[in-house]
Amino acid sequence: QVHLEESGGGLVQAGGSLRLSCAASGRTFSRYVMGWFRQAPGKEREFVAAISGGGSTTSYADSVKGRFTISRDNAKSTGYLQMNSLKPEDTAVYSCATKITWSSGVYDYWGQGTQVTVSS
């Protein structure tokens, strides 16, 4: 069992920045891939970014490449999503999740999410 808790969401103007955190407990955090997803009202959940257990491999959705950076601090069992140059279309509930291997398509544990609102 693993518990994930996001924080750092809020209201920001377009062009601004936010850093989301995902605090994990209950597992050896460094063994697992961590991903960030988002879901806007009326839309399906979409992938944002992922990072391997050791942090050496990352992946981003095209819509956030060059603006968002995923990272992790395994000593603190915490992952991060630095979001810069935010746009109104980035408004969504952002959730973190973990999975066992990079190739697996299934994330098995999820946080409850944190709201990010970008005003124009």
Side-chain angles (χ1 to χ4, degrees):
Q1 189 76 15
V2 65
H3 177 73
L4 301 172
E5 185 170 354
E6 303 91 342
S7 62
L11 173 64
V12 64
Q13 289 188 332
S17 299
L18 282 174
R19 187 176 82 154
L20 305 183
S21 298
C22 174
S25 61
R27 276 185 172 177
T28 304
F29 183 62
S30 62
R31 293 182 180 178
Y32 301 95
V33 176
M34 184 192 72
W36 284 95
F37 294 77
R38 67 187 182 185
Q39 187 167 20
K43 295 186 177 181
E44 293 189 353
R45 184 169 60 198
E46 65 174 352
F47 169 78
V48 175
I51 186 168
S52 60
S56 60
T57 303
T58 58
S59 177
Y60 295 91
D62 287 343
S63 59
V64 306
K65 278 182 183 176
R67 300 188 298 122
F68 291 12
T69 302
I70 190 171
S71 62
R72 65 193 298 161
D73 184 340
N74 288 334
K76 295 181 179 179
S77 295
T78 301
Y80 305 97
L81 185 68
Q82 177 67 43
M83 307 185 294
N84 299 328
S85 302
L86 282 161
K87 305 174 181 180
E89 52 262 44
D90 294 318
T91 295
V93 174
Y94 285 70
S95 300
C96 61
T98 60
K99 62 179 180 177
I100 295 174
T101 63
W102 187 261
S103 59
S104 171
V106 178
Y107 283 80
D108 53 355
Y109 290 100
W110 293 80
Q112 291 193 335
T114 185
Q115 176 71 46
V116 171
T117 303
V118 184
S119 63
S120 57

